[in-house]
Amino acid sequence: MPSNEGLVSLAREFRVLIVGGSYGGLGAAMTLIDLCRGRLARFNFTPNAQPPQHRIPIQITLVDERDGYYHLIGSPKALASEKYASKTWNRFVDIPALKTPDIKFIRGSVHSVDCQRKVAQILDSQTRRSREEKYDFLIAASGLRRVFPTVPQSLERDEFLEETRQNVKAIQNAQEGVVVIGGGAVGAEMAAELKDLYPSQKVTLIHSRDRLLNAEPLPDSFKDRICAILREQGVTVTHGQRVVDITAVDTNEGRRIWQLTLSDGTQVKAGHVMNAVSKSVPTSTYLPKAALDEDGLVKIRPTLQFPSNAPNADEHFAVGDIVSWSGIKRCGAALHKGHLAATNVHQLMLAQALNAKPEFVTLKPHPPVMAIALGKTAVAYDSDGGLQDGEKTYATMFGNDMGFSICWDYMKLSEPCEA
């Protein structure tokens, strides 16, 4: 670590409330810790950048419903593999980079924010009581509300591992095969992971539209390649058919199976059904309506600050999937937003303490980019590189563990947060 000698310590302590401990929230917290300790941010890629000359006392309060950081990208594999699942959920108190008195954790949910008074009402999950938390700056990073199997529904690591155990058991005992309903990104990845982990298991993917990933603003060649690879891997892909009924049937052997009826009248039997059809809902009900669009997403400015008509807009930021911005919602974009928002919060701290003018960084429009993991291969698309697929693409985009190590190492979560 660089030496902190020569730094000027400011007298004032700033309080920062971060709502959400996933990619965007942790990215913001790690950036703030670095900058306020007079170091270059761990996500810094600016050539010839110089570390801050002032040390700023801060108290970060991070609120999350879960008891830890969960690698959301890995959900399709985590819910089908107990070994992998154990790796993907790390309790906040066990993460070396977060073991610092500068950060305190509240397991709970923010149910209201008074931006005028800069006070949040937080329902503490452990005490079951509402508590008031004052702050100088707020970073909303609570994301979207997603359902199983897009994300696990457990809020504690032990419950999550049990949730995975039950799902794995159901997959292994599904003599009539496993049906995945919904051919979006999660459904496609889940079908591929099931076939990779359980090659002898029959896996069927049913999608209501004529193309997989139909909702994504990406070329048809990308979507068609995903479908082709799934079929090459042995997944039965049925598209253009909606599941209109699912009926439980008890067999003579005492087992329960499921009979699915499709829109054309076709019937499909399954030993286990995983529904990957869901509409994600923003978790922004605690924020003022002046900051939200008609879909409940935060209308951020390029500085990641709330829109100017919101109370104390300059001291309120939003990052990650909860914001209204161009591009496809993904973890890399959330981390980037968290870094930029924290950089601007740091600039405001310096400005208020030193009576100086803040030098903001701004968020640029995101073009559509996506990478899909399909077992041991992947398909990726971006406007510069075009369409790519194969095992090398998987290694580049996901490493060897669905991107867990890439994200963990990028955030440097294994490095103790030294003073």
Side-chain angles (χ1 to χ4, degrees):
M1 288 287 183
S3 171
N4 285 333
E5 293 181 9
L7 286 175
V8 177
S9 294
L10 301 181
R12 178 180 173 183
E13 180 181 75
F14 289 91
R15 300 162 299 181
V16 182
L17 176 61
I18 299 178
V19 186
S22 192
Y23 306 108
L26 287 186
M30 294 291 90
T31 297
L32 273 173
I33 290 290
D34 289 339
L35 293 176
C36 289
R37 289 183 175 179
R39 299 194 292 254
L40 287 175
R42 63 196 61 205
F43 308 124
N44 175 71
F45 290 103
T46 304
N48 304 316
Q50 298 298 312
Q53 298 303 302
H54 296 82
R55 185 183 179 97
I56 304 176
I58 58 168
Q59 180 61 63
I60 297 173
T61 300
L62 193 150
V63 182
D64 198 287
E65 293 180 348
R66 298 191 181 103
D67 68 359
Y69 158 65
Y70 174 66
H71 181 55
L72 180 64
I73 299 171
S75 275
K77 185 172 184 176
L79 294 169
S81 168
E82 291 184 59
K83 181 179 179 180
Y84 180 72
S86 180
K87 181 178 185 177
T88 60
W89 189 304
N90 290 266
R91 296 189 305 161
F92 293 123
V93 295
D94 296 330
I95 298 175
L98 302 181
K99 294 181 179 180
T100 166
D102 292 347
I103 301 179
K104 71 174 181 179
F105 300 96
I106 300 176
R107 189 167 155 240
S109 57
V110 176
H111 56 82
S112 68
V113 168
D114 186 334
C115 296
Q116 192 67 54
R117 296 172 52 231
K118 295 184 183 176
V119 173
Q121 295 295 328
I122 301 171
L123 179 62
D124 191 308
S125 298
Q126 295 173 306
T127 64
R128 296 293 177 185
R129 294 180 178 177
S130 182
R131 57 186 288 178
E132 189 173 271
E133 189 75 23
K134 297 180 181 179
Y135 61 87
D136 298 301
F137 298 96
L138 178 138
I139 301 176
S142 50
L144 304 177
R145 182 78 60 192
R146 297 177 170 96
V147 299
F148 181 91
T150 305
V151 297
Q153 298 307 288
S154 305
L155 300 178
E156 297 181 1
R157 186 176 189 275
D158 291 343
E159 291 179 357
F160 163 64
L161 295 179
E162 178 58 30
E163 186 179 0
T164 294
R165 257 190 297 274
Q166 294 299 322
N167 197 55
V168 168
K169 183 178 179 182
I171 293 167
Q172 293 172 333
N173 293 338
Q175 295 181 23
E176 288 76 17
V178 180
V179 168
V180 178
I181 303 174
V186 172
E189 288 188 325
M190 183 157 290
E193 289 298 334
L194 289 171
K195 198 63 183 176
D196 182 57
L197 292 167
Y198 308 97
S200 62
Q201 182 62 277
K202 180 183 178 183
V203 178
T204 302
L205 176 64
I206 301 175
H207 187 54
S208 62
R209 303 301 180 90
D210 290 333
R211 264 196 178 90
L212 302 183
L213 281 80
N214 60 282
E216 304 295 352
L218 295 164
D220 289 345
S221 57
F222 173 79
K223 304 169 185 180
D224 292 343
R225 186 64 187 129
I226 292 169
C227 185
I229 289 175
L230 286 171
R231 284 173 168 157
E232 290 168 8
Q233 293 173 336
V235 176
T236 300
V237 180
T238 299
H239 47 67
Q241 295 296 326
R242 186 179 301 277
V243 176
V244 296
D245 183 65
I246 303 176
T247 303
V249 178
D250 293 323
T251 67
N252 294 331
E253 296 83 15
R255 293 183 298 108
R256 171 160 289 188
I257 64 173
W258 307 94
Q259 183 167 287
L260 290 74
T261 303
L262 307 187
S263 51
D264 67 351
T266 301
Q267 294 190 331
V268 179
K269 287 185 171 60
H272 184 49
V273 177
M274 301 186 72
N275 192 338
V277 177
S278 67
K279 179 174 174 55
S280 300
V281 179
T283 58
S284 58
T285 53
Y286 60 94
L287 296 175
K289 290 185 178 179
L292 309 178
D293 68 10
E294 62 273 14
D295 297 318
L297 298 171
V298 183
K299 299 181 290 187
I300 57 169
R301 289 174 276 167
T303 53
L304 285 303
Q305 293 164 304
F306 279 18
S308 300
N309 62 320
N312 284 318
D314 288 353
E315 285 79 41
H316 292 79
F317 294 74
V319 303
D321 290 355
I322 200 173
V323 308
S324 175
W325 199 256
S326 61
I328 295 171
K329 298 184 184 301
R330 54 193 182 86
C331 93
L335 278 167
H336 181 60
K337 292 184 180 77
H339 167 65
L340 295 184
T343 300
N344 289 340
V345 168
H346 180 256
Q347 282 293 309
L348 285 171
M349 290 177 179
L350 288 173
Q352 292 181 20
L354 302 174
N355 194 26
K357 183 178 180 180
E359 297 180 7
F360 289 141
V361 292
T362 56
L363 183 64
K364 304 297 187 291
H366 293 323
V369 175
M370 181 174 277
I372 296 289
L374 300 173
K376 294 182 175 65
T377 189
V379 184
Y381 173 82
D382 67 74
S383 56
D384 294 329
L387 181 66
Q388 305 170 51
D389 68 80
E391 293 184 6
K392 288 185 177 180
T393 300
Y394 181 90
T396 300
M397 300 293 178
F398 299 98
N400 60 4
D401 56 7
M402 289 285 284
F404 174 82
S405 295
I406 292 174
C407 294
W408 182 273
D409 293 344
Y410 185 69
M411 288 188 279
K412 298 182 180 180
L413 295 181
S414 289
E415 297 184 12
C417 200
E418 300 174 2

